[in-house]
Amino acid sequence: MNGPIRMRGEGLAKVFNRRTIFSGISFSISAGATLLITGRNGSGKSTLVKIISNVLTPSAGTVTMDEGGHLLEGHWPDHVGMVSPYLQVFEEFSALENLHIAAGVRGLTFEPERAEALLARVSLFPRRNDPVRTFSSGMKQRVKYAFAMLHRPPVLILDEPMSNLDAEGTGIVRQIMEEQNREGLLIVATNDLTDIGHFDVRIDLNDARAK
Amino acid sequence: MTPAQSNARRFLRSVAAVFLKDWRSELRTRYAISALLMFVVTTIAIILFSLGSEGAPADVLSGMLWVVIFFGAMSGLSRTFVMEEERGTTLTLQLLATPAAIFFGKLLFNLVLVFALNAVTVLLYAGLIAGFTIRNVPAFLVTTVLGSIGFAAAATIIAAIIARANTRGTLYPVLTFPILLPLLLTVINATRLASEGAFIEEAYGEFQILVSYIVVIVVISYMLFEYIWKD
């Protein structure tokens, strides 16, 4: 990192088939802050998360990210890590192979020690060489955390962070969130406020739907 | 190392990683390889039984070779993007790398697949179909190589488009045919020339069309892919 990271969204809106999902969303958060996105089912939480992750184009508005005042353009994969129920890992490969693939596709050198440490952190080290398709949904969710953190992203985006996790997994994720909060920027989309210790900025999509 | 060199190196590493992921996945699942081989063997067997000992003119046999290649390619090449969509890993790839790296990685995979398919098809076709002889081998090799690259390039971008559609199975050959038509007509003509033993100079015009086709398809694909891939 060359400086504190900051993310700003201005006038974000998304329209699907002439139906406005949300409009007029603006926010600004800096490193050390947590952005919470809430809203009832179908209010567009996941859509907003995808727009913030730069994998979906908004119908209006912009999302920008700068690092120490230097605008980051076209390098978002380097800066964002994401965990969500609809994000899948490559199930025919093992957990360790998945991390190898992730590093390679990012164009980075694979660090086996880091990958193994991450898998140990999410309590998957003993199963690191087993194909992911043999894992339970909770174990797959843990693989997604290792996958998202491999490149030390300054921005960690978590959509329904505790989905499928048991008590141990929930504890691990809380710890990850606390660490991310100290070092970078955390964005959480959930309706369960017990998932998240605290937040600095909140976007409630129930208020953002176009009438 | 300058920043530009470093970026180029990362890009190439990313392209290679996308290719290797697909290749290793294919070796484990053997979906595309099995589909392609089954199709090629079945089609050549049907042609063989249909022709019997009758034989057919060189232009008909040249055309039939590319019919086998066309439908063989259609049965397997869309897999590269459709597989990601079906498994829900499209978003994962979107988060990992730039659209250009994904496109060229997938193109590389399809290139390898088409070259393997064409090598098997040509060997089986030349070995089993009586009357199909290649009198100008260099011209035939150039035609096959350029034709394969053109096939892979067009098939890759169309696979990316149809992967999002509900009717992807039927849409793929229907959408691919008009885009591949100029390529098909050219390779069929060049194959006929090679089969008849024409001088390689006589096929230069066809080669120029093939090279132009490849350049146009790859450049347009590169420019359009980000829009197809993101939304």
Side-chain angles (χ1 to χ4, degrees):
Chain A
M1 253 190 278
N2 300 318
I5 195 139
R6 189 173 57 159
M7 186 181 268
R8 186 180 290 176
E10 283 176 34
L12 294 171
K14 188 66 189 177
V15 179
F16 279 126
N17 299 325
R18 295 190 204 167
R19 194 171 76 87
T20 303
I21 309 296
F22 53 76
S23 62
I25 303 282
S26 296
F27 65 90
S28 177
I29 41 169
S30 304
T34 298
L35 169 67
L36 173 66
I37 301 168
T38 56
R40 60 177 167 265
N41 294 343
S43 60
K45 291 193 297 294
S46 297
T47 303
L48 182 58
V49 160
K50 286 180 189 173
I51 289 172
I52 291 173
S53 314
N54 198 32
V55 293
L56 190 66
T57 309
S59 305
T62 54
V63 182
T64 53
M65 197 158 40
D66 67 79
E67 199 173 37
H70 174 68
L71 198 65
L72 299 168
E73 279 182 307
H75 304 289
W76 282 41
D78 291 353
H79 302 281
V80 174
M82 182 172 161
V83 176
S84 87
Y86 46 84
L87 184 76
Q88 304 300 326
V89 291
F90 306 103
E91 297 208 352
E92 68 272 39
F93 294 102
S94 71
L96 196 57
E97 284 172 327
N98 262 282
L99 299 189
H100 197 165
I101 289 167
V105 177
R106 285 185 187 282
L108 304 172
T109 308
F110 179 58
E111 301 169 45
E113 303 80 22
R114 173 155 176 83
E116 289 183 350
L118 280 171
L119 289 174
R121 172 130 199 235
V122 294
S123 300
L124 284 179
F125 186 77
R127 300 284 305 271
R128 65 192 181 285
N129 291 316
D130 293 349
V132 172
R133 67 168 179 272
T134 64
F135 286 9
S136 70
S137 49
M139 290 165 78
K140 285 178 189 169
Q141 179 78 348
R142 292 174 187 223
V143 176
K144 290 179 196 175
Y145 274 94
F147 202 90
M149 295 190 301
L150 184 69
H151 60 300
R152 302 175 177 87
V155 181
L156 188 60
I157 302 174
L158 309 177
D159 190 356
E160 304 294 353
M162 306 305 180
S163 158
N164 297 317
L165 290 175
D166 56 14
E168 186 208 17
T170 307
I172 294 168
V173 171
R174 280 190 209 292
Q175 212 174 16
I176 289 169
M177 286 160 80
E178 277 172 28
E179 279 170 28
Q180 182 67 24
N181 223 209
R182 280 198 296 272
E183 296 161 14
L185 211 152
L186 181 65
I187 297 171
V188 182
T190 181
N191 276 327
D192 188 351
L193 295 185
T194 57
D195 284 358
I196 184 166
H198 80 283
F199 57 87
D200 303 282
V201 181
R202 179 176 182 172
I203 297 172
D204 187 356
L205 290 172
N206 294 331
D207 302 331
R209 187 183 294 272
K211 300 288 185 285
Chain B
M1 192 182 292
T2 65
Q5 284 174 322
S6 171
N7 284 342
R9 197 170 170 177
R10 274 194 70 179
F11 175 77
L12 292 176
R13 201 182 281 170
S14 191
V15 169
V18 172
F19 165 74
L20 282 174
K21 175 193 84 67
D22 280 3
W23 184 246
R24 287 166 64 201
S25 176
E26 180 56 39
L27 290 181
R28 285 180 195 192
T29 61
R30 296 180 195 280
Y31 180 92
I33 291 173
S34 308
L36 290 171
L37 276 179
M38 287 300 291
F39 189 90
V40 166
V41 170
T42 310
T43 319
I44 290 179
I46 291 169
I47 292 173
L48 196 60
F49 294 138
S50 312
L51 290 175
S53 55
E54 298 289 317
D59 53 346
V60 173
L61 291 177
S62 305
M64 275 162 45
L65 169 67
W66 286 96
V67 168
V68 176
I69 290 173
F70 173 78
F71 284 106
M74 290 309 98
S75 66
L77 292 188
S78 64
R79 189 68 187 156
T80 181
F81 281 108
V82 171
M83 182 182 63
E84 306 291 359
E85 199 65 38
E86 285 174 352
R87 294 187 313 190
T89 47
T90 298
L91 183 67
T92 312
L93 285 176
Q94 286 171 338
L95 282 165
L96 288 179
T98 58
I102 302 292
F103 173 73
F104 284 107
K106 297 283 185 187
L107 174 60
L108 195 58
F109 175 74
N110 271 351
L111 268 175
V112 171
L113 214 55
V114 168
F115 273 111
L117 162 80
N118 288 0
V120 172
T121 308
V122 168
L123 285 175
L124 280 176
Y125 197 84
L128 295 173
I129 306 290
F132 182 71
T133 46
I134 301 298
R135 293 189 173 84
N136 187 337
V137 175
F140 180 70
L141 284 178
V142 175
T143 303
T144 312
V145 168
L146 292 176
S148 302
I149 297 170
F151 252 93
T156 304
I157 191 68
I158 299 163
I161 294 168
I162 62 106
R164 305 294 177 93
N166 292 328
T167 53
R168 53 181 77 112
T170 46
L171 197 60
Y172 192 55
V174 172
L175 196 61
T176 310
F177 179 67
I179 295 172
L180 277 177
L181 195 58
L183 178 87
L184 279 170
L185 293 174
T186 313
V187 289
I188 289 169
N189 202 30
T191 306
R192 181 186 56 78
L193 289 171
S195 177
E196 290 171 350
F199 290 113
I200 198 162
E201 291 80 5
E202 292 177 57
Y204 274 171
E206 314 297 329
F207 297 158
Q208 283 173 344
I209 295 172
L210 291 176
V211 171
S212 308
Y213 181 90
I214 292 165
V215 171
V216 168
I217 291 287
V218 171
V219 170
I220 290 177
S221 301
Y222 172 72
M223 290 165 68
L224 290 180
F225 185 71
E226 184 171 355
Y227 301 100
I228 298 165
W229 183 237
K230 261 184 87 173
D231 295 312

